[in-house]
Amino acid sequence: MGFTVTGVKAVEILDSRSRPTLAVTVTLGDGTVARAGVPSGASTGSQEAVELRDGDPKRFGGSGVLGAVGNVNGEIAEALRGRTFTDLDELDHTLIDLDGTDNKSRLGANAVVGVSMAAARGLAIAAGLPLWQTLNPTDVTPRLPVPHFNVVNGGVHAPNDLDFQEFMVAPLGAPTMAEAVRAGAEVYAALRSLLMGKGLATGLGDEGGFAPQIGQPEEVLGLLVQAIESAGYQPGRDGVAIALDPAASEFYRDGAYQVAGETLSSDDMITRYEELVAAFPVWSLEDGLAEGDWDGNVRLTERLADRIQLVGDDNLVTNPAIIAKAIALGADTAALIKVNQIGTVTETLEAMAVCRAAGWAQMVSHRSGETEDTFIADLAVGSGCGQLKSGAPARGERVAKYNRLVEIETAESLPFGLAG
Ligand code: PGA
Ligand code: ZN
């Protein structure tokens, strides 16, 4: 079989934060045309594949991506055009070899990942299959993931005093994807009413969640429980549970956590989380400690893994080798999965396979800077991982993913919910 690439083209477009990113179109020998939009993060891990930015202060304050666009239209297009590949794996490894660095810093991970995603979509279109089906490993049951709606934004995603970055509601008890999306939207509406009633702002952060002027995480968690109840749901795993992503690397300074007006050690921080988990229906905690705090993350996992899921994002960066290291250390029990952190679809699937083999959970994720591309919805379904986060149930680039999941559910009868 195989497929032939006849064209590769990139354009500089805007992401949801009004910063430049790439749209990449790949054309195949059978006439298939497939496009992908490249996401971009703000609270990035230091080991992520490198996003190439122009640094020209005269354009977009230095954040232009014409260099990365040029790499796609020049070097990458020349290397791929007219070539026949057996599968996506071979194409992705051609890109990895062409770049030649171990972090895609030469051609840019934003250039490489756009080509990889567009090619993956092209293969699905050419085969007449939904994208999720071509991303489904033979030994994995596809499944609709529990959506994690980020309803309150803080950290570097909002201009408020809230140090924790993400407060998510996860309808673990919903019977279907459509009902889960409804629960998310109803809780979001209830939360808006609560905030308005308290005279708090209902403006939105980068991921579409509210960004009220609140400093203490306990206060936000209290409001979330109230919103879940007033929307008619049961707070907790049988109904709507809460997931946190403090993104602690962002408030880790000089060996301590500067959070909510306090300076805390790793162990103080872990105790704070134990208290939060005892008082509120939190089921999952991502990046509770900083990316370099491996000892702290091992202790956090020892102390909390019997009660909640511990997700690594900034420390693991969707890198199969780093995930394998964390598994061996006993740091975290799950990995956040972002295609642009590692830079190709093939390596992303590899990272997820490493997790599965160790009994680790995975949560597929958007970035805070997004496009309308719904690739991650299909990735979550095909990988059968059972969890996805794509921001609030508001703003086009966020709801595009949730809407795609509802459409997949309508077209196919697939199980919904956590894996395993
Ligand atoms: P980012 O944040 O996309 O801004 O890096 C998302 C996250 O920390 O999960
Ligand atoms: Zn994160």
Side-chain angles (χ1 to χ4, degrees), residues 112 127 154 158-159 190 195 211 277 329 348 353 405 409:
V112 172
L195 293 170
V277 168
L329 279 174
T348 303
L405 289 168
E409 180 174 67

Side-chain angles (χ1 to χ4, degrees), residues 245 286-287 313 389:
D245 178 8
E286 175 185 331
D287 284 356
D313 171 15
K389 69 169 191 178

Side-chain angles (χ1 to χ4, degrees), residues 17 40-45 48 156-157 165-166 207 245 247 286-287 313-314 336 338 365-369 389:
R17 253 194 302 245
S40 171
S43 70
T44 50
E48 289 193 24
V156 300
H157 293 165
Q165 180 178 282
E166 300 174 21
E207 298 191 347
D245 178 8
E286 175 185 331
D287 284 356
D313 171 15
D314 288 353
L336 202 73
K338 295 165 165 169
S365 172
H366 66 154
R367 298 307 302 246
S368 52
K389 69 169 191 178

